Amino acid sequence: MSSAVVDFDDALAAFDPVLGLEVHVELNTASKMFCGCSTAFGAEPNTHTCPVCLGLPGSLPVVNAKAIESAIRIGLALNCKIADWCRFARKNYFYPDMTKDFQISQYDEPIAFDGWVDIDVDGETFRIEIERAHMEEDAGKLLHLGGTTGRIGDAEYSLLDYNRAGTPLIEIVTKTISGTGSKAPQVAKAYVSFLRDLMVSLDVSDARMEQASLRCDANVSIMPKGTTTLGLRTETKNVNSLRSVERALHHEICRQAAVLSSGGLVQQETRHWHEDGGYTTSGRLKSDAEDYRYFPEPDLVPVAPSREWVEELRATLPELPNLRKLRLQGDWGFTDLELQDVVNAGALDVIEATVAAGASPQAARKWWLTELARRANEAGVELAELAITPAQVAEVQGLVDAGTVNDKLARQVIEGVLAGEGTPAEVVARRNLAVVSDSGELAAAVDRAIAANPDVVIRIRDGHLQAAGALIGAVMKEMRGQADAAAVRELVLAKLA
Amino acid sequence: MSELLRAGAAELAGRIATGEVSAREVTAAHLDQIAGVDDRIKAFLYVDGKRALAAADAVDAKRAAGEELGPLAGVPLAMKDIFTMKGAPTTCGSRILEGWVPPYNSTITDKLLAAGVVVLGKTNMDEFAMGSSTENSGFFTTHNPWDNTKIPGGSGGGSAAALASFEAPLAIGTDTGGSIRQPASVTGTVGVKPTYGATSRYGVVAMASSLDTPGPCARTVLDAALLHQVIAGWDPRDATSINAPVPDVVAAARHADVAGMKIGVVREFGGEGYQPGVEQRFGEALAVLEGLGAEIVEVSCPHFDYALAAYYLIMPSEVSSNLARFDAMRYGLRVGDDGVNSVEEVMNLTRGAGFGAEAKRRIIIGTYALSSGYYDAYYGSAQKVRTLITRDFDAAFANVDVLVSPTTPTTAFTIGERADDPLAMYKADLCTIPSNLAGNCAASIPCGLADGLPVGFQVMAPALADDRLYRLGAALEAELTSRWGGGLLDQLAESPSGAYLNVGGVR
């Protein structure tokens, strides 16, 4: 059931929102956090399991070194300090998707802590402080069946898949984020979006929210304007798209404002986000604070990354995605809107490579965002997966610039390359696509068009120059498109002058 | 048949290797002994004669084919029921695991099988290794072969009793607070707790992960060393296992020489609460060692007085977490699953029925000690004491080669005597616990009888200096057996009170 809400602007007029974001990132290591089982997504249930990730009596965890490496690189990219020495801890609690009835996590000794990132929203920069980034193992997956909601409450029975149990996770926790005002939902969305891009550029995670390899728990509280005492917060779960992050927070702020405005108290609780209806419902109360009885995991030895290793890993960090975007926008002279389109289309890399191969930024943008985007969309693949390289796209544009082909022919060239007919030059030769530059042949075609359209000729001579289009069209048709339309136009007008 | 049962592992392995006797004959003899006396001893929870004979046949076939045999090939072994072995039920002495057949081998099981050691079956123990008498077993109590009214020690009482009743020449145990050494002490056998991390815990059902240490049990120091050599070594599947060479414990056991060795007697372990006969035998053993050229000095380890208290916070804390997985959902016992009871109710009913009183006591203590608000006072303080105890050892080992004490303050007590007094029961581990907390190695060597029951002599050495245990142990054993005219267990075998074991008249 959806709760009462007040209008967002009214809520913000009376209250300041304070955020806290917890993002879980599933690492893309080949094997699990503490055993050798595969982490591949989508396998037959309970086939990627062993005594360790099933938590069988007697089994022991061994840390995946690659996961530590990824954790350190994430920490460094978030400007965190990297612990000289840290430990895993047991978080003791029961849930049916956990095999050992405790989770191996980190508690007071995270691998990375005290970091920050700057997030831009509408030209305004917000500094998000990072409290910690720690390592832990994922739980198995529960499928609740027989009910109407797919949730545990009304299920008749549940199925368990332990394939995911033990997948390495990094949990990134922000400090409280205040001072964002009405932009709070957008800041949260931009931050999660930043993390998603960062994980991809670090190549540590697929960071696909729809596959839950990046998950966000959004904490928010509101406090009356002019006060500084934090309100009781809610933690909204099941927020599994960027859009949901923004919408869920927007909704929670409005809902909490309605509660407080009507004299009520916000319950400290988890809330469940309903994507379809755009509202949250109460989960479990947090006031009966769970005692996880954390203690250092005795089955594992401390992790003590050497300073040399940390520096080696720092040297592997790619240019941060937000800085790269700014740099490319400056280099290319794109407007904010143009850049946003490019980013949304996932075309940054291919355009950069096309520009590097000699095309102008605008031309590269045009090809990748129109003709190639359409074809990728039809084929259901990513731009980078198309059977044409950025260098070939640059070559096509080079043919256009040289007048060898026009735009329409260029699309046929691209079609040929995608069909595996060879390089752009080879496609032009094989399909005989080059525009006709022999002026004798063109002139003859123009003469024939003039002779065949006396009425059009009269109109042009009367000063209706736009009527020339009909003659140009006729010539282009006769030339099967292999003529430069501008040259034809010049020829027509010269003949009738 | 008696002489096959009385022979040690080293001798049996030698005779099997030369073909003088087949592994099958040796295995069959021990299976017969189990069939003959285990009704009285109750050392075994599970015996698989067919599997044991098949393993023995494989050794014989290997020998017939001219292949080289390992130093313990064909020798039977009793395995504490805490090690997983594919296809063999593993209960840890608990009803809650009844019916669970593990789908994998512990690393030590793999090593034993690869060495051609013949596993006879799984031995009784206090539930999840919690106890000093096997009275906490969910199934039955094992009896001390020296006096069937007495406890065989615990938790590894089944393994120790199997050795002392000549049901097996070798056994394997785990030592968390003394579970190998105390049973060895009260049964007149040899038990070694190797350095923590020197033997793999993979496939050993955990009681307290930071303390549990698998180790060898035997009737002689050399046999224990041979077994130690087979089971020790780095295991990539156990993150706490130590990647270091195993000291040559077999050479040490054969080099029985303590001349020039500096031995520290722990001042804190003696006096009130120690049985006079135990202190007497201990003192005599010291004199023997001094006579062999060792230098005896007194050493104080002041924080050892707090070891028991620290142990009874750290161990239950880990227990409360390690035993959480026994929730009736995936394996083992399930009680009350009638389609009406909720998941929580089934868990409650199963745990209520499946866990014994001691397991419940430790789960409750540990849960409390780790609770928010109590953690620092209990678990945190106990860890500090643990550090202080480790420093006591470090300081002591800076001056002496080994430390010694009685293994346990008394000889075997009567079954039932301490069953309702957990504190009295816990005191059996007073002298053994410090080495678990510090992670160094220690052993118990028989040093005589007090009031007709065996007394154990404990020797403790620094981490990774396990060879010193064997050097001293072998020297003490050699001198004492020569004085006695045979091993301590030979006295049992030849005595009227041991007649029921039916292994007399051999030597």
Side-chain angles (χ1 to χ4, degrees):
Chain A
M1 274 292 292
S2 154
S3 323
V5 293
V6 301
D7 182 76
F8 188 67
D9 292 337
D10 294 343
L12 267 296
F15 299 99
D16 284 323
V18 177
L19 306 175
L21 300 168
E22 295 168 24
V23 173
H24 285 86
V25 178
E26 244 179 33
L27 298 182
N28 61 0
T29 52
S31 59
K32 292 185 179 180
M33 187 77 211
F34 299 115
C35 65
C37 288
S38 167
T39 54
F41 182 82
E44 189 75 9
N46 297 308
T47 53
H48 293 169
T49 57
C50 73
V52 177
C53 56
L54 287 177
L56 291 187
S59 65
L60 294 173
V62 177
V63 174
N64 180 337
K66 183 76 185 170
I68 306 263
E69 182 184 304
S70 296
I72 293 173
R73 292 179 72 234
I74 290 169
L76 290 171
L78 295 174
N79 301 299
C80 286
K81 292 172 188 154
I82 304 301
D84 292 324
W85 189 93
C86 67
R87 285 183 292 192
F88 285 94
R90 287 194 187 172
K91 183 178 184 180
N92 293 289
Y93 69 103
F94 173 79
Y95 207 71
D97 57 6
M98 291 211 307
T99 57
K100 303 181 294 291
D101 291 354
F102 61 78
Q103 180 192 28
I104 305 178
S105 181
Q106 291 196 290
Y107 180 47
D108 50 358
E109 299 164 320
I111 182 94
F113 53 95
D114 286 353
W116 55 267
V117 290
D118 284 339
I119 300 298
D120 285 314
V121 173
D122 297 345
E124 197 180 341
T125 301
F126 296 93
R127 173 152 295 196
I128 311 284
E129 291 185 300
I130 307 293
E131 166 118 9
R132 55 191 282 149
H134 72 246
M135 303 177 277
E136 61 186 30
E137 58 178 336
D138 209 344
K141 214 184 300 187
L142 278 162
L143 200 56
H144 304 298
L145 298 173
T148 52
T149 63
R151 297 180 65 191
I152 197 165
D154 72 342
E156 279 173 32
Y157 63 99
S158 304
L159 296 177
L160 264 163
D161 178 5
Y162 288 121
N163 281 353
R164 199 179 67 178
T167 298
L169 287 181
I170 303 295
E171 180 175 346
I172 301 164
V173 183
T174 66
K175 294 185 179 165
T176 53
I177 306 164
S178 52
T180 54
S182 63
K183 286 184 179 165
Q186 287 166 276
V187 169
K189 179 189 174 186
Y191 167 74
V192 177
S193 168
F194 166 84
L195 286 185
R196 188 191 62 178
D197 292 349
L198 177 66
M199 298 308 144
V200 171
S201 78
L202 289 170
D203 192 23
V204 295
S205 171
D206 302 336
R208 294 194 178 172
M209 294 188 84
E210 73 281 6
Q211 286 185 2
S213 59
L214 190 145
R215 312 195 275 272
C216 176
D217 296 337
N219 291 270
V220 64
S221 65
I222 58 173
M223 52 187 181
K225 274 206 181 302
T227 62
T228 51
T229 309
L230 292 176
L232 287 177
R233 68 172 195 277
T234 61
E235 178 182 356
T236 303
K237 298 194 174 269
N238 193 40
V239 189
N240 42 25
S241 73
L242 287 176
R243 189 166 159 265
S244 302
V245 172
E246 186 175 359
R247 288 177 70 211
L249 283 169
H250 191 281
H251 169 82
E252 261 306 287
I253 290 167
C254 296
R255 188 192 65 83
Q256 291 186 15
V259 171
L260 293 185
S261 301
S262 65
L265 283 172
V266 172
Q267 294 276 8
Q268 184 154 336
E269 62 184 354
T270 63
R271 295 192 65 89
H272 191 85
W273 170 245
H274 297 267
E275 177 72 40
D276 302 342
Y279 60 92
T280 62
T281 51
S282 182
R284 72 194 138 83
L285 281 184
K286 280 237 161 180
S287 49
D288 49 323
E290 283 183 69
D291 185 351
Y292 293 117
R293 294 179 285 117
Y294 282 102
F295 73 106
E297 167 56 273
D299 284 331
L300 293 170
V301 291
V303 176
S306 74
R307 293 302 96 179
E308 294 73 28
W309 189 39
V310 171
E311 289 315 308
E312 274 171 39
L313 292 177
R314 194 190 298 278
T316 69
L317 294 185
E319 182 182 18
L320 292 185
N322 55 337
L323 297 181
R324 176 171 173 238
K325 271 186 249 172
L326 284 176
R327 174 178 61 80
L328 292 177
Q329 186 178 11
D331 288 354
W332 296 346
F334 285 5
T335 65
D336 287 350
L337 197 64
E338 285 171 336
L339 185 79
Q340 203 51 54
D341 286 345
V342 168
V343 170
N344 290 346
L348 212 55
D349 289 341
V350 288
I351 290 177
E352 189 181 23
T354 307
V355 171
S360 75
Q362 285 298 353
R365 188 180 71 83
K366 184 194 75 177
W367 286 118
W368 285 108
L369 261 51
T370 56
E371 180 66 11
L372 292 166
R374 184 178 65 79
R375 290 182 175 276
N377 196 35
E378 277 169 13
V381 297
E382 300 289 321
L383 286 174
E385 293 166 354
L386 286 172
I388 187 167
T389 65
Q392 288 171 330
V393 174
E395 188 184 340
V396 170
Q397 181 57 35
L399 292 170
V400 173
D401 292 342
T404 310
V405 294
N406 56 24
D407 261 26
K408 193 175 163 199
L409 291 172
R411 286 196 279 277
Q412 291 183 44
V413 175
I414 286 170
E415 181 187 83
V417 173
L418 290 174
E421 293 169 23
T423 66
E426 286 164 1
V427 173
V428 167
R430 273 191 205 156
R431 293 194 177 191
N432 195 18
L433 293 175
V435 293
V436 175
S437 51
D438 176 344
S439 55
E441 202 181 320
L442 255 187
V446 169
D447 287 343
R448 280 194 289 277
I450 288 171
N453 296 287
D455 51 331
V456 176
V457 171
I458 291 165
R459 296 193 45 174
I460 293 172
R461 285 198 167 131
D462 284 352
H464 299 290
L465 294 186
Q466 68 274 26
L471 296 182
I472 297 165
V475 172
M476 293 301 282
K477 190 177 175 190
E478 187 177 339
M479 302 300 292
R480 298 187 327 280
Q482 283 171 262
D484 182 348
V488 174
R489 180 184 169 84
E490 261 176 50
L491 213 51
V492 167
L493 295 179
K495 294 225 178 219
L496 298 179
Chain B
M1 188 177 104
S2 293
E3 53 93 31
L4 286 183
L5 301 178
R6 292 278 293 277
E11 184 191 330
L12 287 174
R15 290 167 67 183
I16 290 167
T18 60
E20 186 196 323
V21 62
S22 70
R24 171 171 268 268
E25 288 172 83
V26 170
T27 298
H30 287 91
L31 289 171
D32 286 348
Q33 177 71 353
I34 293 169
V37 304
D38 208 50
D39 276 353
R40 271 181 84 163
I41 304 296
K42 295 202 162 296
F44 283 87
L45 284 167
Y46 172 80
V47 177
D48 189 343
K50 211 172 145 191
R51 181 174 178 153
L53 288 170
D57 288 346
V59 171
D60 289 333
K62 225 174 148 186
R63 201 200 73 83
E67 289 177 51
E68 203 179 323
L69 297 180
L72 289 176
V75 179
L77 173 139
M79 179 181 274
K80 188 178 183 181
D81 198 24
I82 198 167
F83 293 85
T84 60
M85 184 160 80
K86 253 186 233 170
T90 298
T91 67
C92 300
S94 180
R95 291 277 177 189
I96 209 158
L97 264 178
E98 217 175 349
W100 183 55
V101 180
Y104 76 108
N105 281 342
S106 76
T107 294
I108 284 180
T109 304
D110 275 338
K111 286 181 181 232
L112 291 171
L113 297 180
V117 172
V118 174
V119 179
L120 297 170
K122 312 289 286 291
T123 55
N124 193 29
M125 55 188 284
D126 287 296
E127 182 174 19
F128 290 110
M130 304 178 188
S132 307
S133 69
T134 72
E135 289 166 291
N136 295 333
S137 165
F139 300 96
F140 45 72
T141 299
T142 300
H143 298 263
N144 193 318
W146 289 83
D147 176 344
N148 295 165
T149 68
K150 302 288 181 188
I151 59 99
S155 63
S159 283
L163 295 173
S165 60
F166 300 90
E167 293 176 330
L170 293 175
I172 196 107
T174 58
D175 191 313
T176 304
S179 283
I180 287 175
R181 289 164 287 164
Q182 183 259 2
S185 176
V186 301
T187 57
T189 57
V190 176
V192 178
K193 182 203 96 71
T195 299
Y196 179 80
T199 44
S200 169
R201 292 186 297 113
Y202 188 79
V204 180
V205 180
M207 169 166 77
S209 312
S210 73
L211 303 160
D212 297 343
T213 314
C217 312
R219 288 195 295 262
T220 70
V221 172
L222 176 62
D223 286 357
L226 288 165
L227 184 53
H228 187 126
Q229 202 83 352
V230 167
I231 62 170
W234 180 62
D235 179 8
R237 290 187 295 186
D238 175 359
T240 60
S241 118
I242 301 172
N243 192 353
V246 179
D248 194 343
V249 292
V250 174
R254 292 196 162 118
H255 182 75
D257 180 10
V258 290
M261 188 183 263
K262 204 164 168 189
I263 297 174
V265 179
V266 180
R267 182 189 297 155
E268 283 73 16
F269 290 154
E272 201 195 321
Y274 287 74
Q275 192 177 319
V278 167
E279 294 209 283
Q280 216 172 336
R281 292 294 92 74
F282 176 68
E284 289 163 10
L286 282 179
V288 165
L289 291 167
E290 194 164 25
L292 291 171
E295 184 190 346
I296 313 287
V297 295
E298 196 180 72
V299 172
S300 175
C301 296
H303 299 98
F304 284 15
D305 286 343
Y306 305 100
L308 194 70
Y311 176 80
Y312 274 96
L313 287 168
I314 293 167
M315 175 273 294
S317 295
E318 296 185 18
V319 163
S320 71
S321 176
N322 281 331
L323 267 53
R325 73 188 68 189
F326 301 107
D327 57 17
M329 292 299 116
R330 289 168 293 258
Y331 38 75
L333 188 69
R334 184 181 287 186
V335 176
D337 186 9
D338 56 3
V340 177
N341 285 323
S342 69
V343 169
E344 287 80 3
E345 284 162 339
V346 170
M347 276 182 209
N348 283 339
L349 289 168
T350 304
R351 285 171 167 168
F355 284 134
E358 184 63 22
K360 287 174 186 165
R361 177 161 30 239
R362 295 191 192 190
I363 290 168
I364 291 168
I365 291 173
T367 302
Y368 185 75
L370 287 178
S371 296
S372 154
Y374 297 97
Y375 179 95
D376 289 340
Y378 294 126
Y379 184 82
S381 301
Q383 288 291 11
K384 286 176 191 160
V385 170
R386 189 174 188 172
T387 301
L388 294 173
I389 286 166
T390 305
R391 287 187 193 157
D392 277 0
F393 270 116
D394 290 345
F397 288 134
N399 293 314
V400 299
D401 298 310
V402 294
L403 290 171
V404 296
S405 75
T407 304
T408 179
T410 68
T411 55
F413 47 90
T414 302
I415 291 171
E417 190 183 313
R418 299 188 189 178
D420 298 323
D421 186 352
L423 276 180
M425 188 74 87
Y426 296 168
K427 281 183 179 159
D429 294 334
L430 209 55
C431 311
T432 46
I433 280 171
S435 293
N436 294 90
L437 289 173
N440 61 286
C441 57
S444 179
I445 317 291
C447 67
L449 300 177
D451 309 318
L453 289 170
V455 176
F457 181 93
Q458 179 178 228
V459 50
M460 297 164 269
L464 294 175
D466 304 54
D467 51 330
R468 292 184 201 172
L469 308 175
Y470 290 95
R471 225 176 99 200
L472 184 149
L476 182 63
E477 178 188 66
E479 183 61 25
L480 290 177
T481 50
S482 97
R483 288 185 187 189
W484 299 332
L488 205 56
L489 283 165
D490 292 321
Q491 295 181 33
L492 172 65
E494 301 298 342
S495 73
S497 63
Y500 76 99
L501 294 172
N502 205 23
V503 287
V506 173
R507 281 167 200 179

